[in-house]
Amino acid sequence: LGYATALFDAPTIQRHAGYLEAVLRGYIADAPSPVSRIDLLSPHERRLLLQEWNDTAVPFAEHACVHDMFEAQAARSPDAVALVHEGSDISYHELNARANHLAHQLIELGVRPDTRVGICVQRSPLMIVALLGVLKAGGAYVPLDPAYPTDRLALMVSDSNPSVVLADASTAGLVRAMLDDEGLACPVLDLTAPERDGGSEANPDRSALGLTSTHLAYVIYTSGSTGTPKGVMIEHHGLVNLAQAQIRFFEVSSRSRVMQFASFSFDACISEVVMALCCGATLCLPARSVSLDFALLGKYITDQAISHVTLPPALLHRQPDLEKLAGLQTLVLAGEAPSPALIQALPSGPNIINAYGPTESTVCATGWISPEPFSGATVPIGRPIANTRVYVVDAHGGLCPVGVPGELWIAGAGLARGYLNQPQLTAQRFVADPFTTAPGTRAYRTGDLARWKTDGNLEFLGRTDDQVKIRGFRIEPGEIETHLTTHPHVHEALVLAREDTPGDKRLIAYVVTNNEIVGLATELRTLLSTRLP
């Protein structure tokens, strides 16, 4: 074989020669098969893809619930600062006691394992108290962002059918009106009202509740291509594995100060919470305005001596003073693909980690630590985290060789139970894992395109469908198109994501109408703003 040495190295060509030999052997086999079914992989490469690069098994507390870890930490260091918000500190003991008080109230209201509880509160310590209280009562929390349009919240409430909704003074009226409109007889607990009597500060007895690690911890809604959001059901054992994996991978300790940056409705929020509160670190909860202004963000990171923060790359593109991040210990980029230029522009000092994972795999599935200096042409998404397996699969369900693009499948401890009230979609996306002999093992078909690099890292290449990521948010253009076509003058719609400059991605809608309508664009923006985040 002759080849251009400027473009290919010898190991690549040797692998390709092996693939050619496999094809030729397939042609002359006693039982010939279609070309697409010929297995190109040598035993060595198959072992590399399935075993060596997926050798992630480590012991973890698979029978624990995630709040068990928080309770143990509160017992070990009750006086340590658990939560910081706008100048006030809350100790582990106080946070645990407040969450227990709420948990016992919820138990009295009938919350049990797998019961769904809505949380619709403004960004404040109540958000963390509510989250922990629901988990301790055995329920699964459903985040209902007050900033979402009422129509969107109504769809989520109708689908999740919560037994209780937790609110605050600013949201209780909205929630009650929405429940009435949906015809749901569901109590609303205003967490800012005077506390009810009888709530114990003792940890609820998990065994008495019948709560196990296979019960739900939360249901988070993501964009749906049909116009209806879909609820992803995550169980406790997946969240426990995530907490322990990220504490190790991100090097979080009791001395760390972790910033809670993500929106409550985004699954990165629970990742930030558990990595801090399950190891004795301090969770720093800034005002929402901080996350919208990089100058305020940089000041907050400095003033609060933040050690760990997770940010979407779009927030950092074209920022003039990235040196504000130099004091961090770990900067995690997540939600969308960072550019090589951004990695090179970031200050030296912090560990730079590119994390990847869909909501269906409990927040994070793979991670990559940037070398210093970084000079690559692409930014990998890394290797699978603890107790996670990843496969790159072709259109026929076979493993793709190294360097060959295919759909990324994820298996392991973090896999979601499925989609709430959508068994057909669950069966379509969560399939039997064909690459293991363990009974009942499933894999999630992500719809993401990826390929293995020769060093065992994965490279993200895009989507097999139209789904896009903008500023870390997962968006189905089809959902927007569906709502556009409900306008009486719109017959067809197409929504595309366009990136004119790196990091500046935006959505553009094209519509077909019968005739020219004055002010149609304004009407359509208003329509969408009442229905979509």
Side-chain angles (χ1 to χ4, degrees):
L1 295 172
Y3 61 95
T5 55
L7 301 177
F8 302 97
D9 58 18
T12 298
I13 296 301
Q14 289 165 1
R15 283 201 320 274
H16 285 214
Y19 302 150
L20 176 59
E21 181 179 337
V23 171
L24 296 176
R25 290 187 181 279
Y27 285 166
I28 60 172
D30 292 336
S33 63
V35 174
S36 61
R37 303 288 182 177
I38 294 175
D39 186 2
L40 300 182
L41 301 180
S42 67
H44 167 73
E45 188 169 348
R46 179 171 290 274
R47 185 170 60 254
L48 189 70
L49 296 176
L50 290 181
Q51 298 175 24
E52 294 183 26
W53 288 351
N54 274 307
D55 183 16
T56 63
V58 295
F60 79 104
E62 58 184 306
H63 300 298
C65 290
V66 73
H67 56 276
D68 295 340
M69 301 169 65
F70 167 69
E71 290 171 357
Q73 192 60 51
R76 281 194 296 268
S77 55
D79 298 326
V81 176
L83 185 61
V84 172
H85 177 69
E86 296 185 350
S88 63
D89 296 351
I90 300 176
S91 70
Y92 269 85
H93 171 76
E94 182 184 352
L95 182 59
N96 191 46
R98 291 176 63 180
N100 286 339
H101 183 91
L102 174 59
H104 287 289
Q105 293 183 48
L106 293 174
I107 293 168
E108 290 177 9
L109 289 171
V111 172
R112 295 293 181 268
D114 274 6
T115 299
R116 294 175 293 279
V117 178
I119 301 179
C120 187
V121 299
Q122 300 293 344
R123 187 177 181 82
S124 71
L126 279 180
M127 186 177 82
I128 307 301
V129 171
L131 185 157
L132 291 170
V134 173
L135 295 175
K136 285 168 167 283
Y141 76 89
V142 182
L144 303 169
D145 192 334
Y148 276 15
T150 304
D151 285 2
R152 176 73 165 210
L153 290 175
L155 281 171
M156 294 159 63
V157 168
S158 177
D159 186 60
S160 62
N161 191 21
S163 64
V164 185
V165 177
L166 306 180
D168 58 26
S170 67
T171 62
L174 163 71
V175 170
R176 290 190 179 99
M178 184 168 54
L179 292 171
D180 288 343
D181 290 343
E182 295 299 314
L184 296 175
C186 169
V188 177
L189 196 59
D190 182 352
L191 300 181
T192 53
E195 293 186 335
R196 291 171 38 167
D197 294 332
S200 169
E201 292 187 355
N203 294 329
D205 185 343
R206 182 157 74 85
S207 60
L209 295 172
L211 178 62
T212 71
S213 64
T214 59
H215 283 114
L216 291 181
Y218 63 83
V219 177
I220 280 185
Y221 281 83
T222 67
S223 181
S225 58
T226 62
T228 303
K230 53 184 183 287
V232 180
M233 300 184 288
I234 298 295
E235 298 173 344
H236 274 272
H237 64 91
L239 197 50
V240 169
N241 182 67
L242 174 80
Q244 294 188 334
Q246 291 196 334
I247 288 168
R248 285 192 301 268
F249 188 29
F250 299 161
E251 298 180 349
V252 188
S253 72
S254 59
R255 298 181 299 277
S256 300
R257 294 174 67 85
V258 179
M259 181 175 170
Q260 201 287 287
F261 174 87
S263 163
F264 186 44
S265 59
F266 191 32
D267 63 351
C269 174
I270 188 63
S271 166
E272 295 162 334
V273 171
V274 297
M275 82 164 88
L277 299 184
C278 290
C279 76
T282 298
L283 183 68
C284 300
L285 183 67
R288 190 61 189 160
S289 58
V290 170
S291 63
L292 303 175
D293 186 323
F294 184 74
L296 294 177
L297 175 67
K299 185 176 187 306
Y300 186 87
I301 287 173
T302 301
D303 291 349
Q304 292 294 328
I306 300 295
S307 62
H308 292 71
V309 66
T310 301
L311 300 174
L315 181 72
L316 304 178
H317 277 290
R318 298 187 312 284
Q319 294 293 350
D321 191 11
L322 291 176
E323 285 300 320
K324 292 178 178 178
L325 307 176
L328 292 168
Q329 176 189 328
T330 300
L331 170 61
V332 182
L333 303 175
E336 60 191 345
S339 67
L342 174 60
I343 301 295
Q344 292 161 0
L346 289 170
S348 60
N351 292 322
I352 309 297
I353 297 176
N354 185 30
Y356 159 86
T359 304
E360 290 84 348
S361 66
T362 313
V363 188
C364 183
T366 69
W368 170 82
I369 302 177
S370 173
E372 191 178 331
F374 172 73
S375 58
T378 60
V379 180
I381 58 174
R383 297 170 177 255
I385 67 168
N387 301 304
T388 302
R389 300 184 305 281
V390 293
Y391 315 117
V392 178
V393 179
D394 64 26
H396 304 282
L399 288 177
C400 290
V402 173
V404 176
E407 183 181 14
L408 191 61
W409 290 18
I410 302 173
L415 223 58
R417 184 185 294 181
Y419 299 111
L420 181 65
N421 301 325
Q422 297 201 50
Q424 290 184 327
L425 184 60
T426 297
Q428 176 187 343
R429 306 303 295 186
F430 294 85
V431 298
D433 185 344
F435 306 112
T436 181
T437 57
T441 307
R442 299 174 306 146
Y444 170 63
R445 302 177 55 188
T446 67
D448 289 331
L449 283 172
R451 64 182 170 196
W452 287 106
K453 298 167 67 72
T454 55
D455 61 0
N457 283 298
L458 286 160
E459 182 182 355
F460 177 81
L461 300 173
R463 290 286 299 174
T464 61
D465 56 19
D466 296 329
Q467 187 187 104
V468 297
K469 284 284 192 76
I470 295 186
R471 293 190 294 280
F473 291 95
R474 180 167 131 181
I475 299 168
E476 298 275 5
E479 180 177 28
I480 306 170
E481 293 164 0
T482 297
H483 287 289
L484 285 169
T485 54
T486 63
H487 190 282
H489 294 295
V490 175
H491 301 288
E492 290 183 80
L494 174 69
V495 174
L496 300 176
R498 195 165 79 189
E499 189 170 18
D500 297 325
T501 57
D504 186 18
K505 190 181 292 183
R506 56 187 178 138
L507 291 168
I508 299 178
Y510 301 86
V511 298
V512 177
T513 64
N514 268 342
N515 45 41
E516 187 174 342
I517 309 295
V518 175
L520 179 60
T522 301
E523 284 187 32
L524 294 177
R525 286 193 181 93
T526 301
L527 171 71
L528 294 179
S529 69
T530 64
R531 300 183 180 182
L532 298 174

